[in-house]
């Protein structure tokens, strides 16, 4: 079946630092890949997505590229802000699990001023 | 229109009680999903509806869990004879048409079973 593995957190950075959160997946076929973010006290929000190999999803300065050869979808941001502090979830949809999103365990990001 | 809404936002139940959790999807969205999120974990799939048809219930953990969407809009997740291990946040999501469209999540219902 499908699975998603994220780098373990928590991740603590200073403002304006570079961010990478690693995500690798296992799936058959050609799943769609997502990053969702959960800000404190709020629900899950879609941050970005990519639906086919070599696609780059981007939003709010965050980027992730769908790498089929390495089965990865790493999240990056060049300069984080305090307001980026949240929990980030990598997820996939498709493959053998049509319809259901399969999530990683989440990575807590804390950004200090 | 408005996003996905869920009620109640918080529910405390005594072990053995039945609970009902409600989800109002985005208007016009065909697909609706329920997920369970344990503390410190990612959400896990419970069940999926396309209109009023429940197409996948493979994630429901036991026969105490039951979901319905009788008119293809509002959905209710019911848990009978709640146990402590049912304590979690229950998330509802909807998507416009097919199951592979982007899913939009509600704020969740935090269930605590004492």
């Amino acid at each position: 079946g499908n699975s998603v593995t994220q780098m373990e957190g928590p991740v603590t950075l200073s403002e304006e630092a570079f961010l990478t959160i690693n995500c690798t997946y296992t799936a058959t076929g050609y799943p769609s890949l997502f990053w969702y973010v959960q800000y404190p006290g709020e629900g899950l929000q879609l941050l970005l997505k990519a639906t086919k190999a070599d696609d780059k999803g981007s939003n709010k300065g965050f980027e992730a590229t769908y790498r089929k050869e390495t089965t990865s979808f790493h999240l990056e941001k060049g300069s984080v802000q305090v307001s980026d502090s949240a929990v980030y979830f990598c997820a996939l949809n498709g493959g053998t699990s049509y319809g259901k999103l399969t999530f990683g365990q989440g990575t807590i990001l804390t950004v200090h001023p | 229109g408005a996003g996905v809404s869920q009620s109640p936002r918080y529910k405390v139940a005594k072990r053995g009680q039945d609970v009902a959790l409600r989800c109002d999807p985005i208007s016009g969205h065909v697909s609706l999903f329920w997920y369970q999120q344990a503390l410190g974990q990612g959400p896990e799939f419970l069940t999926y509806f396309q209109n009023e048809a429940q197409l996948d219930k493979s994630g429901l953990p036991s026969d105490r869990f039951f979901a319905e969407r009788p008119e293809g809009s509002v959905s209710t997740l019911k848990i009978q004879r709640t146990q402590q291990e049912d304590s979690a946040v229950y998330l509802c999501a909807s998507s416009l048409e097919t199951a592979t469209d982007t899913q939009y999540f509600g704020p969740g219902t935090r269930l605590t079973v004492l």
Side-chain angles (χ1 to χ4, degrees):
Chain A
N2 294 344
S3 67
V4 175
T5 302
Q6 286 181 237
M7 68 182 283
E8 294 195 14
V11 174
T12 303
L13 295 173
S14 297
E15 206 165 25
E16 299 184 2
F18 183 85
L19 169 71
T20 300
I21 301 178
N22 290 338
C23 171
T24 57
Y25 68 90
T26 301
T28 58
Y30 301 93
S32 294
L33 302 175
F34 305 83
W35 278 99
Y36 279 85
V37 59
Q38 193 168 36
Y39 297 104
E42 299 184 17
L44 276 170
Q45 300 176 24
L46 177 66
L47 180 59
L48 54 84
K49 68 177 184 180
T51 57
K52 61 183 187 296
D54 300 324
D55 267 3
K56 177 185 285 188
S58 61
N59 186 26
K60 299 181 180 180
F62 291 89
E63 292 183 341
T65 301
Y66 189 147
R67 300 286 188 201
K68 189 163 176 63
E69 64 276 13
T70 55
T71 62
S72 65
F73 193 55
H74 304 322
L75 182 68
E76 297 182 336
K77 186 175 186 183
S79 177
V80 293
Q81 306 300 311
V82 172
S83 57
D84 294 326
S85 298
V87 184
Y88 292 81
F89 293 93
C90 184
L92 69 83
N93 188 342
T96 57
S97 301
Y98 180 79
K100 63 183 77 167
L101 280 168
T102 300
F103 286 87
Q105 73 271 32
T107 301
I108 300 172
L109 171 66
T110 303
V111 180
H112 293 297
Chain B
V4 178
S5 61
Q6 293 185 245
S7 61
R9 292 292 311 277
Y10 303 90
K11 177 68 178 178
V12 178
K14 293 182 179 178
R15 191 170 49 149
Q17 284 185 331
D18 297 349
V19 299
L21 312 180
R22 176 187 169 106
C23 172
D24 284 82
I26 294 172
S27 178
H29 276 200
V30 167
S31 296
L32 184 146
F33 308 81
W34 285 98
Y35 293 84
Q36 180 189 58
Q37 186 177 17
L39 188 65
Q41 301 297 315
E44 293 195 356
F45 172 82
L46 294 177
T47 187
Y48 155 55
F49 291 86
Q50 191 170 85
N51 294 306
E52 68 278 4
Q54 190 174 20
L55 298 187
D56 187 345
K57 54 182 181 179
S58 62
L60 295 176
S62 78
D63 59 6
R64 296 186 296 104
F65 286 71
F66 172 76
E68 60 183 5
R69 194 186 186 198
E71 298 179 358
S73 178
V74 171
S75 177
T76 303
L77 176 67
K78 298 179 179 178
I79 309 173
Q80 297 177 324
R81 304 181 304 281
T82 53
Q83 304 294 315
Q84 283 190 323
E85 62 263 28
D86 300 334
S87 296
V89 176
Y90 290 86
L91 298 170
C92 177
S94 68
S95 67
L96 183 59
E97 292 185 359
T98 70
T100 54
D101 289 337
T102 297
Q103 295 180 28
Y104 297 91
F105 283 80
T109 295
R110 181 178 296 279
L111 173 65
T112 303
V113 181
L114 302 177

